[in-house]
Amino acid sequence: MVDLYICVPDSRAALAWYVEHLGARVSGAPMVGEDGSVGHCEFTAFGGRVMMSDEFEAFDVAAPLPERGAAVTLVVSADDLDSLANSVSAGGARITRGPEPGGPTGRILVFRDPFGHRWMVLG
């Protein structure tokens, strides 16, 4: 298992989206700074833990730029790629591949979520 730590422009909105469209489960209340920004929150999805924060310029932590290509792809596994594709698409994600046969990996779905992260889901 690999834990992930991602950054988004708005952790509250992202957390709600990941719960609704990825079936994530929140793991405790977000840690909120004096300025109201989310310094840390966690959820589980696809059998792993994802930690997340808002952007923090002082710590050189920034969200991906949606207008650019993704520097990192989050690779996970799921059983029902068709339902997942419908859910993320309904939530505004941009599907760039699949769901379709993915050769030796089985089926594959690739999408970019509304917060700029690229996900590759194998199933």
Side-chain angles (χ1 to χ4, degrees):
M1 179 177 85
V2 174
D3 293 331
L4 305 173
Y5 208 119
I6 62 175
C7 177
V8 294
D10 182 348
S11 290
R12 290 173 183 86
L15 197 56
W17 193 90
Y18 294 141
V19 167
E20 181 175 354
H21 299 287
L22 299 184
R25 293 186 180 181
V26 178
S27 309
M31 297 170 66
V32 179
E34 290 179 15
D35 64 354
S37 62
V38 175
H40 181 84
C41 60
E42 295 184 15
F43 63 90
T44 57
F46 304 109
R49 177 173 69 159
V50 179
M51 297 167 278
M52 182 169 60
S53 75
D54 289 346
E55 297 180 304
F56 284 95
E57 187 174 335
F59 294 112
D60 200 24
V61 176
L65 298 173
E67 65 272 9
R68 292 185 54 189
V72 173
T73 299
L74 308 173
V75 181
V76 297
S77 297
D79 292 327
D80 189 349
L81 271 57
D82 296 303
S83 293
L84 181 60
N86 290 335
S87 181
V88 300
S89 180
R94 182 172 48 95
I95 294 178
T96 57
R97 184 172 174 197
E100 63 188 37
T105 63
R107 296 186 76 218
I108 188 169
L109 167 66
V110 180
F111 65 91
R112 189 94 179 242
D113 72 31
F115 310 97
H117 291 283
R118 183 176 190 261
W119 296 79
M120 177 185 293
V121 187
L122 307 175

